[in-house]
Amino acid sequence: SRTGMCTNIYNAGCETNELADRPFLLSRRLEAAGYACGYTGKWHLGLGKDKASSFEGRKLLKRMERGDMCGDAYLGYGTLPTDVGFTGDDFPGHGDGGWETPQFEAYLKARGLTLKMEDKYGHDLEGYHSRGAIITSGIETTVEHFLVERAISIVDALSSGSAPFFMSLNFWGPHEPYYVPKEYYEKYRGMKIDPWESFAAPHRATPGHRVLARPLQDWAFFEENLRRYYAYIEYMDYEIGRFIAHLREKVLYDDGVVLFTADHGDSQGCHGGLENKAYHMYEETVKIPMMVKVPGGTGGRLCDALVGTCDVYATILDAAGLHDPAEHQCGESMLPYVEKPDTQGRRGIMTEGVGAFPVIATQRMYREGAYKYIFNFAGTDELYDLARDPHELKNLADDAAQADTLSLLRMHMYENMLAHGDPCASMFAKIYLIGPYADIP
């Protein structure tokens, strides 16, 4: 809500469709402090000035030709990585996995490579889809290999200078489409994968907007999805390892900070057959990987502090020795958890959601201890005790025994909404007669 990019760009509910070049952008903050900044991979923060340069931009222009006003204000305006202080690659919009971008096609041509696929599959129902194929032309013909090659090249250029550097490597995967090298898929071909415990949940037992994330497929569909998904993850692990190995070879790893995370998880058939992401806040999509390595770090340990993707900005600035002004801060640095294991973590953490497609379904989630409270503006509230119910099968929101817990979490959610300037805070307070509405009979 602070950026206005509340859902996918140029979709209903998105207030800002092109990232503005502001002094407090991470790249600009680092640049001002003397850092060289590199970028390659998925952008998804705008289509750039030349809307006709990407398939998404051309779709937008066609909408405008028929009279839609959705992109008029952004004609001739938009920022890509190299517009906001980065050295590297510009991939407008979502990029659809990067497989049809001019840069990837040029990479294949320059190396005399031809991308070959077999066993293609696809699904498109109720707005959700999974697509993929098995790549038979070798790992060198994948987008992931291309991105690591680009990242290595950019890092070599940045590290040859005298300035400290920041590198952002952004894979499209393991999000679908699942284009997986055959040598990795073979490990999972035909593997038996049992349904999740929540797969048997009634299809329409949860609030109506959940149906948007249900393709209404049987388990066999998700079972094959997962085979390709697991193979994709294992292959990406290899490519990330290849990049880390290069940092070691260049003697950059030991003294550097490395942060690995994802933007969201994947439903993969949870809760009665949900697919993809958005329109729900179950653990399958909101609990994501987050790993931080600092200079001089040895071994590894698990930290149970509540952290989120909004903490990435503050963490990188902290690692660079920069102060994060309170007016720009939506997160907290994670370095204290890494450097001092006994650091007291925050009481709770918020997650915002509006969906990802043309239908808006505003949601807020607040996690505190084992409890997770989900507020659905157009649906039923949810309350789960993850210690006793890790699969989130029993909604306790209407349980009289949990009334005090529910009230407390609502108040703490409201406090967090105020702290972050959430535009929904006053409406939330009005619905539950808390804050300024507490004395209304």
Side-chain angles (χ1 to χ4, degrees):
S1 60
R2 291 287 295 274
T3 65
M5 288 185 167
C6 305
T7 178
N8 286 346
I9 57 173
Y10 294 102
N11 270 333
C14 192
E15 298 175 276
T16 304
N17 295 301
E18 300 283 348
L19 182 70
D21 187 0
R22 301 284 292 277
F24 55 78
L25 292 185
L26 180 62
S27 56
R28 294 306 192 192
R29 291 289 310 280
L30 292 173
E31 182 183 51
Y35 277 77
C37 298
Y39 195 103
T40 191
K42 185 175 180 180
W43 181 239
H44 210 3
L45 299 174
L47 299 173
K49 298 179 182 68
D50 182 8
K51 301 295 186 283
S53 67
S54 65
F55 77 94
E56 290 168 275
R58 291 189 290 273
K59 285 173 60 179
L60 178 66
L61 291 174
K62 286 183 178 180
R63 289 178 60 187
M64 294 168 63
E65 287 174 5
R66 74 184 189 205
D68 292 9
M69 298 175 66
C70 52
D72 282 12
Y74 294 101
L75 282 178
Y77 177 80
T79 58
L80 298 173
T82 59
D83 296 316
V84 295
F86 286 109
T87 295
D89 301 315
D90 292 333
F91 295 98
H94 183 284
D96 200 33
W99 295 93
E100 297 181 10
T101 60
Q103 296 97 320
F104 177 57
E105 292 175 349
Y107 156 82
L108 293 175
K109 184 177 181 179
R111 301 200 176 194
L113 300 171
T114 300
L115 176 61
K116 297 179 181 178
M117 301 181 185
E118 66 179 22
D119 193 20
K120 292 185 179 181
Y121 84 115
H123 165 69
D124 194 351
L125 181 65
E126 292 193 357
Y128 277 74
H129 52 274
S130 286
R131 297 159 295 142
I134 306 305
I135 296 172
T136 59
S137 46
I139 62 175
E140 295 85 1
T141 63
T142 67
V143 166
E144 288 71 32
H145 198 86
F146 158 65
L147 287 181
V148 169
E149 290 298 292
R150 286 296 302 140
I152 286 173
S153 176
I154 295 168
V155 161
D156 285 352
L158 296 179
S159 62
S160 66
S162 59
F165 73 90
F166 168 77
M167 178 68 206
S168 185
L169 168 57
N170 304 276
F171 295 96
W172 278 275
H175 198 294
E176 63 87 24
Y178 309 121
Y179 292 124
V180 183
K182 187 172 184 178
E183 47 266 63
Y184 281 85
Y185 177 69
E186 288 303 324
K187 178 177 178 179
Y188 297 92
R189 184 187 294 273
M191 176 181 285
K192 176 67 176 174
I193 302 173
D194 293 328
W196 319 124
E197 186 170 339
S198 67
F199 179 73
H203 277 274
R204 296 176 183 268
T206 47
H209 57 269
R210 298 290 193 285
V211 179
L212 292 170
R214 286 199 174 94
L216 306 181
Q217 296 292 304
D218 60 19
W219 179 250
F221 167 80
F222 293 107
E223 192 172 29
E224 178 57 21
N225 249 17
L226 286 164
R227 292 176 187 131
R228 298 179 186 232
Y229 187 54
Y230 291 163
Y232 203 173
I233 290 172
E234 185 168 333
Y235 171 54
M236 285 188 60
D237 185 67
Y238 161 77
E239 289 291 356
I240 293 169
R242 197 164 68 86
F243 180 63
I244 295 296
H246 183 76
L247 295 181
R248 291 184 185 277
E249 180 183 337
K250 299 288 289 187
V251 196
L252 297 168
Y253 181 80
D254 289 342
D255 291 335
V257 175
V258 179
L259 192 153
F260 171 87
T261 190
D263 56 347
H264 58 78
D266 203 309
S267 303
Q268 295 290 4
C270 71
H271 289 270
L274 300 178
E275 188 189 0
N276 206 296
K277 62 182 185 299
Y279 301 110
H280 72 84
M281 288 192 168
Y282 295 123
E283 292 293 273
E284 283 80 1
T285 61
V286 300
K287 188 176 182 180
I288 61 172
M290 180 76 81
M291 290 180 268
V292 182
K293 173 262 168 195
V294 296
T298 58
R301 63 181 178 83
L302 182 66
C303 175
D304 61 2
L306 294 171
V307 300
T309 50
C310 287
D311 295 329
V312 172
Y313 176 87
T315 301
I316 294 171
L317 291 183
D318 189 12
L322 302 177
H323 175 61
D324 183 14
E327 62 267 26
H328 300 148
Q329 191 178 59
C330 288
E332 302 174 2
S333 173
M334 294 181 284
L335 292 189
Y337 302 129
V338 178
E339 298 166 346
K340 300 176 182 178
D342 59 347
T343 298
Q344 184 67 36
R346 52 163 68 92
R347 180 179 64 189
I349 194 165
M350 284 278 294
T351 299
E352 298 180 358
V354 182
F357 298 98
V359 176
I360 302 170
T362 300
Q363 298 175 285
R364 297 290 185 268
M365 185 198 86
Y366 178 72
R367 171 76 185 273
E368 184 172 318
Y371 283 99
K372 184 161 81 171
Y373 167 57
I374 302 170
F375 173 58
N376 297 299
F377 271 85
T380 305
D381 277 11
E382 299 169 77
L383 176 67
Y384 300 104
D385 181 349
L386 298 179
R388 294 181 173 85
D389 179 26
H391 302 292
E392 300 167 282
L393 296 174
K394 188 176 182 181
N395 183 1
L396 302 173
D398 293 329
D399 186 341
Q402 298 291 338
D404 289 343
T405 297
L406 184 62
S407 294
L408 182 65
L409 293 178
R410 281 175 177 158
M411 179 56 68
H412 289 172
M413 173 181 277
Y414 175 62
E415 292 168 354
N416 272 264
M417 293 170 86
L418 289 177
H420 291 96
D422 191 322
C424 295
S426 62
M427 292 174 279
F428 178 78
K430 186 175 182 180
I431 289 172
Y432 293 114
L433 300 180
I434 58 179
Y437 301 95
D439 296 327
I440 297 177

